[in-house]
Amino acid sequence: MFVLQRSGGGKATSSPAENYQLARRRTLQVVVSSLLTECGFESAEKAAVESLTEMIQSYISEVGRCAKAYCEHTARITPTLSDTVVTLIEMGFNVNTLPVYAKRSQRMVITAPPVTNAPVIPKALIAGQKRTHPSHIPSHFPEFPDPHTYIKTPTFREPVSDYQVVREKAASQRRDVERALTRFMAKTGETQSLFKDDITAFPLIAARPSSIPYLSALLPSELELQTLEETDSSEQDDQTDSENTPGNNLNDDPGADKENSMLPPGGVVPSVKASEENMIDNPYLRPVKKPKVRRKK
Amino acid sequence: MNRKKDKGFESPRPFKLTHQVVCINNINFQRKSVIGFVELTIFPTVVNLNRIKLNSKQCRIYRVRVNDLEAPFIYNDPTLEVCHHESKQRNLNYFSSAYTAAVSAVDPDAGHGELVIKVPSELWKQGDEMNVLKVYIEFSLDQPKGGLHFVVPDVEGSMAERGAHVFSFGYQNSTRFWFPCVDSYSELCTWKLEFTVDASMVAVSCGDLVETVYTHDMRKKTFHYVLPIPTAASNISLSVGPFEILVDPYMHEVTHFCLPQLLPLLKHSMSYLHEIFEFYEEILTCRYPYSCFKTVFVDEAYVQVSSYASMSIFSTNLLHSAMIIDQTPLTRQCLAQALAQQFFGCFISRMSWADEWVLKGISGYIYGLYLKKTFGVNQYRHWIKEELDKMVEYELKMGGLPVGSNGHLTCPTPHLHFSIKHPHTLSWKYYKMFQCKAHLVMRLIENRISMEFMLQVFNKLLSLASTASSQKYQSHMWSQMLVSTHSFLKSISNVSGKDIGPLIKQWVDQSAVVKFFGSFAFNRKRNVLELEIRQDYTSSGTQKYVGPIKVTVQELDGSFNHTLQIEENSLKHDIPCHSKSRRNKKKKIPLMNGEEVDMDLSAMDADSPLLWIRIDPDMSILRKVEFEQADFMWQYQLRYERDVVAQEESILALEKFPTPASRLALTDILEQDQCFYKVRQGACFCLAKIANSMMSTWTGPPAMKSLFTRMFCCKSCPNIVKTNTFISFQSYFLQKTMPVAMAQLRDIQNLCPKDVLNFILDLIKYNDNRKNKFSDNYYRAELIDALTNSLTPAISISNEVRTVDNLNGDVRLILEEITRSLNMEKLLPSYRNTITVSCLRAIRMLQKNGHIPSDPSLFKSYAEYGHFVDVRVAALEAVVDYTRVDRSSVELQWLLNMVQNDPAHYIRHKILSMLGKNPPFTKAAESPLCNEALVDQLWKLMNSGTSHDWRLRCDAVNLYYTLFGLTRPSCLPLPELGLVLNLKEKKAVLNPTIKPEQGPDTTEMTGITMGGLITMETVSSVSMSSGVAPPPQGLKRKLDSVVGPLGSSSPEPGQVLQEEDTSKKFKIRVRISSAEDEIDMESPHDSQAFIHHHLNILERPSTPGKEPPAVDQAVLSLPVTPLPSSFGKESTSSSKHSGDHHHHHHHHEHKKKKKKKHKHKHKHKHESKDKERDSHAFSNSPASGRSVRSPSMSD
């Protein structure tokens, strides 16, 4: 097969595949030139020769392609003469004229193209053993495709169960995450530094006053609450008395919780609610009275 | 004080308060202002009651009406500015006496007050009929600096959404800061309290909430409280805010309030309050006296706990979730303290300040009983020991701490730089130690009369009080609700039949503690223990003890108690031993508690049967014991004595015996999990110290490392710590402490061993709290503390600047950890930001040791308002330390600025007390910081800058004392006249003592003639300039001219004067130390008035009839000498002064008829005078170099 290449006569290119193609093309050029001489031309412009070469190359390529197509159509892998003949006929060429033309007297003999190494087809990745046919398959049948197309490569490794390593990993992972995170925060925000000469060395996220500092200092963070829930749920299996786990106080006991959270901030209890809560008589839960209507102050 | 021992309480006032209405109808959070009125119902107890004195500070009073008649009033607060007239005195003795005088002048316990109301004459007649007077006062408060604290966070939203709140606070009786009242603990009355607040807010106050009513526009509501139990105004409080309400699930009459979003924490923190209630009610066999109880948790609290009638205000920082271990006992203790004070302190009040110790003692004592029951006997005994040690240390340092009634009045306290006659003049530390001593004394009484009787006495006091409280005023029973030392002692003798008079005399009336030194020898022949107990009663703060003392001797055959009698001259005591020295290895040794144990007796002295000896094991004397016994005895004591106090004592003693045997004993204790955890913690630190002393002979891994590994690390991989569970609190505390103690280990180069450092770093690295239901924030914080402990000074070749490049490798690792932890805190803050606190401390330590450049800017940013209070305190501590180490005046200024301007009172207090603890310089050392400007600034701070906060003022006084001492600060230029005039009482006028300043060139000068003369002169100068400023020039001239001729006849004084004259270091100082004299209390007075009053008295004998002789003399002296023009100006100004003063005197004479207006005029004049004097002083100061007064000029 020809690979069309319009490198414009690239000179220094020296890969084997290119050399091979250049040699062929040069032969074709010689062919064209000799045909022109045959026809009586004494000289030709380079561009014209080039065009003709291109045409002839296309023609030959097309013949080759079609012949291969015919051959594959009949489930063969190597084209036979008849494939070529059919092709030529198909392309509108009178095959019968060919022998005469071939034997014409003024034909010029052209030297065979210089032998160059056929281009090496890069080898596919070899993965695993190539499998041979099993005995019940005749040897002429095509070979198995490359193993990489069908074998599976295990990406799973045996889990490390060594306690020490696990702890080590967990610790260093956490540390790396923390360091990366804090460095990121430090990079993206304001920082304070402990050194004057190198303010990037140990960057500290700048202290920022908050308007209600006690909230963040007293309330457990979400992360802590989460772990608390997790430890609780894991413990509940062996602890039937859920009252004893202190974390539950935060989440359970919904009755009391709601009753208070439903209070408007001022401690005003909706009258409906108040009647339900008659049990608890606390002055702060009582409804707020309406002012006495006074005519005159 | 009008207290007669037998007749109970007598009011110092000519009237009796029965009922008071407080109505605050507007609270503006935006402007931080309050408007309201009070109405006091009073019964005159004298005929013709014409003046009513009430307490009021910083309130603006609009009108006063008595029985609907407008009444004139005078409002004068002498404590606003203690020493009037910018004096150049600057000495603390002077200030303290002036301050005491000012506080006494308005002391409600003596019947005085800032607000004097003249009863309209129309009502005078009514006094005869003993009719009721109703005093109605309208007042407002604008941006109060004390008494009420507004917390208004600067965020978006309405005040309720912002969590804005306000609450009352104060130290001792401070209610006068927010409404006019009789601010005394002994003036009881019933109350009606009304607060109109925004509809989204709750007003919590004392007594029962009767109803809540909307205002007409429905935008506000009024909370009506009634307190039928007679209560002192000082026990009234208020807090208003958008509180979340929690009704106690166990006791419905108890209500808890917290700030928005904290309800879950409140629920958990309050879940055991009912147990405390039950405990107290049970031991006192008395119901909680009020019908309800309220707890309010507020931000920026003044103190952690403050108790008022039927409510307590706490710091919101006491709230915690179920995950927090360390805070839990602390919060419970605070609740228990608050509740104990409800019974004794709020319900039962005190007669006078001298009886305060009884209340503090009882509440502290029953709190101790609660501790014993809840936290165990070990914790209780540990606490007692801790309190005793603290108190003893303070007394030895300060030289005495009288708490009781007579002590206040009789015991002279010249060693203290503050007066103890008033609660408001006390140093805060003193007050804390006072409380400490009070409950320790109660415990001594318990030891004496038994707990049963003790509780009976309390019960009796309470039941008397509750009977009285239900009576009407007319029954005159209310004074039963007041406790006095006398009534307390009487109940004790009634109940127990014992006279504890001597005990009270020794520990209450008398200050000082006992210091014992013990040693012994064993006499083998007689089988007798010869014990020698010596006492040190000569050094300050100590007293001689005579009486019984208990000694416990542990012998081979058992433990034996001996009671020895400490007598005048007997030092030696022979104690017969019960057991022969022998080696019966099979026999077990019985201990004090009946337990029998096997001991390895090989370490013992073969000749002696003694295992260990303890002096006063029950701490039944307020003492310090230093006892000598052999190291093996201490080791036995540590291992086998079951009392934690004994164990702690032996740990302390073993520090002096760095031997393998001590090491073994300590290690054994560490491993013994039945041992009290605090003892084990103590053993850790002792072990570290011993290891350092044994450095050269120490074998094996660093101390405690293998122990820690065994206890807390994984079996399979000993270098990795187990994941946290913290189920066993004892182990938790030990796990926290061990690394901190280990970090104190040092190798031969005095560095922390590499092993140890890596070990700690690994602990941090492998710390894993994912499966823990408790927070590990305290643990992590202590690991950072451990890193801090491991730091040692950097080796520096020269004084080079610290850079990143020359950072030591280990330090780099430490710094990495600190940086990461501190940064993580920003993302996941820990409870109470404990880790930030530890990191800040660590950074300061790195700076101090020269590893990183010393720089306060980081700390300053953390100290800003808006950070959590613990963080601020830690940062401020670092700044204070920096100020001392780097002697930085910029930072000192910054701190002092914060003292003046910070919104949080606690922070202000903390800065001053930290500066006092870690002062930038002391009176003993020279420092560039010590300069005149600083003296002026501090003086101003305590003189007028802190008038709104008693505690802060006393803190400032303390700091002044630490920096400059009692006398004039050494950095000040010496005053103008080198004469000190001490006007002590009236005698001093006739024969005054003239003390020289501490100037280098002054000599002792005495002489009646001279004295008399100078007195005359100075008195007149005093009348011109209030006696404390550089005297006017004219006078000075006069003095010279008078002295001149005298000098020839009596050369000694004359010479001195001459010398001083040339050196130009003169000053007349007048010390009024007779301020407690009977003064005309009818008139509104201030220090100014005092001085004038005294001067009037003084002047009479010397210049009868002629009031201002000095003016004449001064003016007269002028023409004698030619003077520079400036001089002339000065003297005219001085004569103007005297003119003013003349006028002033005049005023004083007729003051009774003057009103407020005049007062203002006065002040204005003083100010202008001050200015004049300032310029004057400047031109006269020696530094100015002008020789106006040089002899050549006068010639």
Side-chain angles (χ1 to χ4, degrees), chain A residues 162-172 174-183 185-186 192-225 227-228 230-232 234-235 239 244-250 252-261 263-268 279-294 297, chain B residues 153-155 162-163 199-205 209-216 218 221 223 225 242-243 245-247 252-255 257 259-265 267-268 294 299 316-317 319 321-323 714 716-717 719-723 761 764-768 770-773 775 802-805 807 812 815-817 819-820 822-824 826-833 843 851-855 858 861-862 865-868:
Chain A
D162 185 17
Y163 183 75
Q164 182 172 353
V165 179
V166 171
R167 287 292 302 274
E168 183 100 35
K169 268 233 150 115
S172 49
R174 198 194 53 199
R175 168 173 304 221
D176 290 346
V177 168
E178 283 184 6
R179 189 178 296 148
L181 181 61
T182 52
R183 292 238 158 181
M185 296 298 289
Q192 286 165 320
S193 172
L194 296 172
F195 290 91
K196 289 190 183 90
D197 56 331
D198 184 358
I199 50 166
T200 53
F202 306 104
L204 295 173
I205 301 174
R208 195 163 295 145
S210 86
S211 32
I212 309 184
Y214 60 85
L215 282 183
S216 69
L218 298 180
L219 288 171
S221 66
E222 272 174 42
L223 185 79
E224 280 177 306
L225 283 176
T227 50
L228 192 68
E230 277 167 23
T231 49
D232 278 351
S234 65
E235 267 168 26
Q239 236 175 341
N244 285 350
T245 56
N248 283 340
N249 293 355
L250 290 176
D252 293 355
D253 198 14
D257 204 340
K258 267 176 204 151
E259 159 205 317
N260 277 305
S261 58
L263 291 183
V268 192
M279 309 276 289
I280 301 178
D281 180 33
N282 185 291
Y284 293 93
L285 301 181
R286 282 178 211 146
V288 182
K289 290 182 185 165
K290 294 273 156 58
K292 286 166 200 154
V293 185
R294 271 185 245 163
K297 205 195 155 194
Chain B
D154 185 19
V155 280
R162 286 155 74 168
S200 54
M201 301 257 185
V202 190
V204 187
S205 187
L209 178 63
V210 184
E211 56 178 1
T212 317
V213 185
Y214 276 116
T215 53
H216 287 279
M218 299 292 277
K221 52 190 183 184
F223 286 79
Y225 284 91
F243 298 120
I245 300 169
L246 171 70
V247 176
H252 292 168
E253 56 278 69
V254 176
T255 321
F257 301 87
L259 292 164
Q261 299 181 50
L262 299 178
L263 191 63
L265 303 187
K267 263 186 195 168
H268 176 74
K294 287 140 285 185
D299 189 25
T316 193
N317 304 333
L319 295 176
S321 70
M323 283 185 291
C714 306
S716 60
C717 35
N719 62 326
I720 294 179
V721 67
K722 284 182 201 159
T723 57
L761 287 171
I764 296 177
K765 184 179 169 191
Y766 293 118
N767 178 46
D768 186 345
R770 281 173 301 180
K771 297 275 174 242
N772 195 357
K773 65 179 176 185
S775 167
R802 290 286 148 192
T803 56
V804 185
D805 301 331
L807 204 59
R812 186 177 283 272
L815 197 51
E816 286 271 350
E817 287 305 330
T819 316
R820 196 169 48 81
L822 191 55
N823 283 339
M824 277 309 286
K826 302 286 186 313
L827 308 171
L828 288 173
S830 59
Y831 178 71
R832 294 193 76 150
N833 295 349
I843 291 174
H851 294 293
I852 60 176
S854 201
D855 179 15
L858 178 78
S861 71
Y862 278 94
Y865 182 69
H867 286 99
F868 188 67

Side-chain angles (χ1 to χ4, degrees), chain B residues 1105-1161:
Chain B
K1106 257 170 87 182
E1107 212 205 348
V1111 183
D1112 299 343
Q1113 282 162 346
V1115 176
L1116 278 175
S1117 70
L1118 270 177
V1120 180
T1121 44
L1123 294 165
S1125 56
S1126 66
F1127 194 67
K1129 266 186 221 157
E1130 276 159 23
S1131 51
T1132 46
S1133 74
S1134 74
S1135 62
K1136 223 165 84 193
H1137 287 182
S1138 36
D1140 277 354
H1141 257 276
H1142 190 72
H1143 187 55
H1144 183 92
H1145 271 268
H1146 197 66
H1147 274 210
H1148 182 71
E1149 236 96 273
H1150 305 283
K1151 222 172 306 176
K1152 289 177 194 175
K1153 286 166 194 164
K1154 305 289 167 185
K1155 279 188 205 159
K1156 219 177 163 187
K1157 262 188 201 167
H1158 259 115
K1159 207 62 218 166
H1160 283 302
K1161 225 156 122 194

Side-chain angles (χ1 to χ4, degrees), chain B residues 950-1003:
Chain B
W950 307 115
R951 178 174 74 174
L952 196 63
R953 177 171 260 164
C954 298
D955 290 335
V957 170
N958 257 1
L959 179 60
Y960 196 89
Y961 174 70
T962 318
L963 297 183
F964 308 117
L966 278 176
T967 49
R968 189 180 166 80
S970 57
C971 59
L972 291 188
L974 285 173
E976 308 280 309
L977 279 167
L979 304 183
V980 178
L981 188 66
N982 197 347
L983 302 179
K984 268 187 189 165
E985 300 174 6
K986 287 166 196 172
K987 277 180 198 164
V989 182
L990 302 170
N991 192 1
T993 349
I994 298 153
K995 286 180 192 163
E997 271 291 348
Q998 286 175 327
D1001 54 354
T1002 52
T1003 43

Side-chain angles (χ1 to χ4, degrees), chain B residues 105-272:
Chain B
V106 291
D107 184 12
D109 279 340
H112 304 313
E114 294 90 350
L115 182 67
V116 181
I117 298 165
K118 193 182 170 208
V119 179
S121 51
E122 295 92 316
L123 299 169
W124 285 16
K125 274 274 170 64
Q126 291 189 0
D128 295 331
E129 296 142 35
M130 295 291 276
N131 264 353
V132 177
L133 292 181
K134 295 218 175 203
V135 183
Y136 170 90
I137 305 169
E138 272 178 26
F139 71 97
S140 79
L141 276 173
D142 201 24
Q143 307 209 330
K145 285 187 189 152
L148 281 184
H149 184 57
F150 283 89
V151 182
V152 184
D154 185 19
V155 280
E156 292 292 304
S158 72
M159 282 300 164
E161 284 158 5
R162 286 155 74 168
H165 56 287
V166 61
F167 58 93
S168 63
F169 71 93
Y171 160 53
Q172 285 280 328
N173 42 342
S174 298
T175 306
R176 62 182 99 166
F177 279 96
W178 61 287
F179 66 81
C181 57
V182 179
D183 196 7
S184 161
Y185 282 101
S186 60
E187 191 72 35
L188 308 179
C189 69
T190 54
W191 294 81
K192 168 86 178 72
L193 305 153
E194 289 175 36
F195 304 102
T196 305
V197 298
D198 209 73
S200 54
M201 301 257 185
V202 190
V204 187
S205 187
C206 303
D208 302 314
L209 178 63
V210 184
E211 56 178 1
T212 317
V213 185
Y214 276 116
T215 53
H216 287 279
D217 57 2
M218 299 292 277
R219 284 161 70 183
K220 290 185 169 187
K221 52 190 183 184
T222 307
F223 286 79
H224 294 267
Y225 284 91
V226 165
L227 182 57
I229 292 176
T231 302
S234 318
N235 278 326
I236 298 294
S237 76
L238 164 71
S239 47
V240 177
F243 298 120
E244 302 204 36
I245 300 169
L246 171 70
V247 176
D248 197 285
Y250 300 90
M251 306 167 288
H252 292 168
E253 56 278 69
V254 176
T255 321
H256 312 295
F257 301 87
C258 70
L259 292 164
Q261 299 181 50
L262 299 178
L263 191 63
L265 303 187
L266 184 71
K267 263 186 195 168
H268 176 74
S269 310
M270 291 299 109
S271 56
Y272 39 71

Side-chain angles (χ1 to χ4, degrees), chain B residues 282-339:
Chain B
E282 196 179 315
I283 60 158
L284 298 170
T285 48
C286 170
R287 283 197 63 79
Y288 175 69
Y290 300 100
S291 55
C292 63
F293 181 56
K294 287 140 285 185
T295 63
V296 188
F297 290 82
V298 296
D299 189 25
E300 296 179 15
Y302 186 72
V303 282
Q304 291 213 308
V305 182
S306 47
S307 272
Y308 302 95
S310 83
M311 76 180 278
S312 289
I313 296 180
F314 298 92
S315 162
T316 193
N317 304 333
L318 292 177
L319 295 176
H320 60 87
S321 70
M323 283 185 291
I324 307 301
I325 297 174
D326 300 49
Q327 183 63 43
T328 309
L330 301 179
T331 301
R332 287 186 195 198
Q333 285 163 17
C334 284
L335 288 175
Q337 274 169 349
L339 208 52

